Amino acid sequence: MMNKMMKTACALAVLAASANVMAESVELKLIGTISPPSCKPTLSGSGTVDYGSILSDSLNPTGYTTLADKESTLTIACDAPAKVAIQAVSGRKDSTVSDGAEGTSGAAAPVSAVGLPAGFGVVGLGISNEKKVGAYGVAISDVTLDSTAAKAIQSDDKQSWNDSNASSLYKADGSTSYLSWSQAGEVAPAAFETMNAKLTVKTYLNKTSDLDLSKPVQLDGLTTIELVYL
């Protein structure tokens, strides 16, 4: 009886040892990273619009002086097809010569006397000698996506898009606005690798009666164009 019990115990010990061996394991891990496309915006002329030297006696003493339009080219290059939008923000808030109050982007409605399109927003040219210098807006046109003609569309929330008031970087009420681009016949952001567009800068200066011309007056506009991935 004792021998039988010992044999049984030995058998159980062998089974337990076998179970321990079978319980050993090794893990196979699967790792990696899904990276979104990367896009880079560039502006022709290093992004500088230079009006050079402007003679004060060429300006209107009682009205606003409209300067000649200046052009630049905006290019967005992506390393893979991507849907993106841009958002413009003024770096010279509280300096806009306008017919309304500035909104969150720093833009406002232009003075009516300069005849800019309805809905076209303008931003300030900075403060010089404690006086507001003027304002400018930026129109966007001639858009191509991967060399194919496209149209600008805009959204307030990156969800709903329309093609009204999409020809300006800024809205007249100064609210946040996102601009993107769609293929012909569509009103939804399209993916692209390269976007090209013409930017037309429309500028007007304050009345000289509202400027301090005893010292040089510096035009000091600054717009930051931010990329937003959709």
Side-chain angles (χ1 to χ4, degrees), residues 67-152:
L67 301 183
D69 290 350
K70 296 282 189 177
E71 293 183 356
S72 181
T73 299
L74 171 66
T75 298
I76 300 175
C78 305
D79 56 16
K83 295 180 181 181
V84 301
I86 57 173
Q87 178 186 10
V89 179
S90 172
R92 300 293 181 261
K93 293 182 178 180
D94 301 320
S95 72
T96 309
V97 175
S98 66
D99 277 349
E102 292 182 3
T104 54
S105 69
V111 293
S112 57
V114 299
L116 291 176
F120 195 89
V122 295
V123 290
L125 283 170
I127 303 291
S128 184
N129 306 330
E130 301 182 356
K131 303 290 185 178
K132 292 182 179 181
V133 177
Y136 69 97
V138 184
I140 183 167
S141 61
D142 300 347
V143 181
T144 61
L145 301 181
D146 299 326
S147 301
T148 300
K151 66 178 180 179

Side-chain angles (χ1 to χ4, degrees), residues 39-43 74-76 83-89 138-141 143 152-156 158 161 166-170 175-181 189 192 195 197-199 223-230:
C39 299
K40 180 181 179 180
T42 57
L43 288 166
L74 171 66
T75 298
I76 300 175
K83 295 180 181 181
V84 301
I86 57 173
Q87 178 186 10
V89 179
V138 184
I140 183 167
S141 61
V143 181
I153 55 177
Q154 77 90 30
S155 173
D156 297 334
K158 296 180 288 185
W161 297 87
S167 59
S168 169
L169 288 190
Y170 291 105
S175 60
T176 299
S177 177
Y178 302 95
L179 286 180
S180 190
W181 305 277
F192 61 86
M195 188 283 296
K198 181 173 75 174
L199 301 184
T223 285
T224 299
I225 300 175
E226 301 174 352
L227 281 189
V228 180
Y229 291 90
L230 302 174

